[in-house]
Amino acid sequence: DFDLESRAERIRQLLEGRPRWERKGLGRVQTDVVSPYALAVVRGAAGNYPGDAGMAWAALTAWDGSMERRGPAALFALFERRLTEAVFGDELDLERASGMSRRSWLERILAGGMSPVWFDDVATPEVEERAAIVERALADAWRAGAERWGPDVGRWAYGDLHRLRLRHPLGLLPLFGRLVDRGPFPLPGSATTVTAFGGPWRGDELPVTYGPSMRWVTAAGTGDGTLAVLPGGQAGHPFDPHYDDQLELYLEGRLREVAWSEEAIRDATVSTLRLEPR
């Protein structure tokens, strides 16, 4: 409902690939990081490009669309940003447009669904066309990535750009924030992958500002055997042992058994917290 159909498309691809599913397999679906949107943008940018643009194009066309912590995902993120700014930034205030709108415009214009006049840079007397703007964005992205991580695009660290910091409301207090905040953690995924870790660019970083607040898999008809995980833990008290005891599982894309029936809850209980009004 709140972004392009890329995530739904990928879920459909995965579900159609197997006739039967079990809970753990469905849990892995939730952590998939392939972006059909990214692949569509790469296809739409097809052309013959020289130099740095040609190297960027070759790397992207050999890529499978996985927004992993390391590899061409970083190149795609840089290219997408520069191309969006080059095509629309001279005529629109992109800061006021939603991420979904920017992605929709880029996908549409590359597919021929918008007027090519958008490719012209209104700040210059020349009339730029599609090939020149795409080539410039590819070259700029390649140079920016190579300067930051070196010439081997397979080693480019998307996770350096795409990090999650979990903040406690008291984390704004001087020094105390180091005790209650967690992160930053390099993460895979994007707004257009099933693992929906997304957020807007802030300077040269692409911090994660939203993601799944819980992952949950259960079998219809029974609660016991349910699998779930939280991005932290069940306790809101920073010094409680359950404040962040699920965080490692969450970051690794794993799930844990959840007791559901009263009997299962009794068997699984290790401590009880009782709140009594005074």
Side-chain angles (χ1 to χ4, degrees), residues 60-142:
L60 288 174
T61 54
W63 176 52
D64 66 357
S66 294
M67 302 298 292
E68 297 284 2
R69 293 180 180 88
R70 189 170 297 275
L75 174 59
F76 174 78
L78 294 169
F79 169 58
E80 179 199 27
R81 181 189 194 185
R82 281 159 172 73
L83 185 58
T84 302
E85 291 174 347
V87 176
F88 301 109
D90 57 330
E91 294 154 296
L92 299 174
D93 183 358
L94 292 177
E95 293 296 322
R96 301 182 64 179
S98 69
M100 181 178 71
S101 295
R102 294 194 297 269
R103 288 186 283 275
S104 175
W105 297 337
L106 186 61
E107 192 172 20
R108 284 173 55 202
I109 196 167
L110 290 174
M114 296 175 67
S115 171
V117 72
W118 285 100
F119 285 109
D120 177 43
D121 183 352
V122 299
T124 68
E126 299 83 11
V127 178
E128 289 83 3
E129 296 184 350
R130 173 189 176 282
I133 295 300
V134 174
E135 179 181 329
R136 184 192 307 168
L138 285 167
D140 287 348
W142 182 265

Side-chain angles (χ1 to χ4, degrees), residues 197-238:
F197 286 125
W201 283 91
R202 292 177 180 169
D204 292 330
E205 306 295 330
L206 187 57
V208 175
T209 57
Y210 62 84
S213 57
M214 178 176 64
R215 297 193 187 100
W216 176 277
V217 181
T218 191
T222 178
D224 288 331
T226 291
L227 302 172
V229 72
L230 298 171
Q234 287 186 289
H237 194 298

Side-chain angles (χ1 to χ4, degrees), residues 25-277:
L26 285 170
R28 288 190 290 272
V29 168
Q30 293 184 7
T31 58
D32 186 83
V33 294
V34 172
S35 173
Y37 159 78
L39 293 174
V41 168
V42 171
R43 288 194 301 271
N48 296 314
Y49 304 109
D52 291 340
M55 289 189 288
W57 173 243
L60 288 174
T61 54
W63 176 52
D64 66 357
S66 294
M67 302 298 292
E68 297 284 2
R69 293 180 180 88
R70 189 170 297 275
L75 174 59
F76 174 78
L78 294 169
F79 169 58
E80 179 199 27
R81 181 189 194 185
R82 281 159 172 73
L83 185 58
T84 302
E85 291 174 347
V87 176
F88 301 109
D90 57 330
E91 294 154 296
L92 299 174
D93 183 358
L94 292 177
E95 293 296 322
R96 301 182 64 179
S98 69
M100 181 178 71
S101 295
R102 294 194 297 269
R103 288 186 283 275
S104 175
W105 297 337
L106 186 61
E107 192 172 20
R108 284 173 55 202
I109 196 167
L110 290 174
M114 296 175 67
S115 171
V117 72
W118 285 100
F119 285 109
D120 177 43
D121 183 352
V122 299
T124 68
E126 299 83 11
V127 178
E128 289 83 3
E129 296 184 350
R130 173 189 176 282
I133 295 300
V134 174
E135 179 181 329
R136 184 192 307 168
L138 285 167
D140 287 348
W142 182 265
R143 291 169 192 146
E147 180 179 352
R148 186 165 184 171
W149 297 295
D152 183 357
V153 70
R155 300 179 62 84
W156 289 13
Y158 177 60
D160 285 357
L161 304 172
H162 196 244
R163 301 189 297 172
L164 170 69
R165 184 184 294 275
L166 296 172
R167 298 185 181 276
H168 191 281
L170 297 179
L172 296 175
L173 297 176
L175 301 179
F176 192 65
R178 298 179 183 178
L179 299 176
V180 298
D181 291 348
R182 296 294 183 268
F185 305 105
L187 289 182
S190 73
T192 60
T193 64
V194 183
T195 298
F197 286 125
W201 283 91
R202 292 177 180 169
D204 292 330
E205 306 295 330
L206 187 57
V208 175
T209 57
Y210 62 84
S213 57
M214 178 176 64
R215 297 193 187 100
W216 176 277
V217 181
T218 191
T222 178
D224 288 331
T226 291
L227 302 172
V229 72
L230 298 171
Q234 287 186 289
H237 194 298
F239 303 109
D240 189 289
H242 302 297
Y243 178 62
D244 61 359
D245 60 339
Q246 297 183 46
L247 182 54
E248 183 177 352
L249 295 174
Y250 178 84
L251 294 172
E252 293 177 356
R254 295 189 286 151
L255 298 165
R256 58 187 293 274
E257 294 278 350
V258 176
W260 187 264
S261 66
E262 292 297 328
E263 180 181 2
I265 291 172
R266 285 194 300 270
D267 292 342
T269 297
V270 295
S271 64
T272 301
L273 175 66
R274 186 181 301 277
L275 302 179
E276 296 183 355

